[in-house]
Amino acid sequence: MRKPGKLLKSKATFNRDELADLFEDLAARVRDGELTLGQGDGQVSMDLPQTFTVEMEVQNTGKRVLKRELELEIEWPIEADGTPLEGRDPRSGFVIN
């Protein structure tokens, strides 16, 4: 049984094309219903549900240098063994143009 807590954290710098490639790879894995992040002993593999809750936030941050931050949070309920719980109704809350 897994307890709440951080399973993986990563930070990297990408150029625009590299970031687009990352999103495209992520989208392909979501469509396939399986996602593995990380490498070796630190990797986390997940079975993905049909429906997710997504929260998007954009804010300006920083003290010395003003920065724009886009945070995309994707969550779903799981069983104790990590299996996704299904049954939530899809909701629409934002549009990407």
Side-chain angles (χ1 to χ4, degrees):
M1 177 179 195
R2 289 190 175 161
K3 296 181 180 181
K6 194 169 293 186
L7 302 178
L8 176 78
K9 183 173 183 174
S10 180
K11 186 174 185 176
T13 300
F14 297 94
N15 66 37
R16 191 181 303 169
D17 288 334
E18 292 166 337
L19 182 59
D21 289 343
L22 176 72
F23 286 143
E24 289 167 356
D25 289 345
L26 181 60
R29 302 310 184 281
V30 170
R31 285 187 184 95
D32 289 342
E34 296 179 14
L35 175 64
T36 299
L37 299 173
Q39 297 177 350
D41 292 339
Q43 80 179 19
V44 177
S45 295
M46 298 169 274
D47 291 324
L48 302 175
Q50 292 293 319
T51 305
F52 303 86
T53 299
V54 179
E55 181 179 328
M56 192 179 312
E57 181 178 324
V58 179
Q59 64 181 0
N60 288 337
T61 63
K63 293 184 179 182
R64 289 185 177 170
V65 176
L66 190 60
K67 297 180 183 180
R68 174 100 3 117
E69 180 179 304
L70 167 61
E71 185 175 320
L72 179 64
E73 185 174 301
I74 304 167
E75 60 182 37
W76 60 94
I78 59 170
E79 300 280 0
D81 66 357
T83 304
L85 285 171
E86 299 291 351
R88 291 190 159 182
D89 295 326
R91 302 282 186 235
S92 177
F94 53 85
V95 175
I96 297 175
N97 294 327

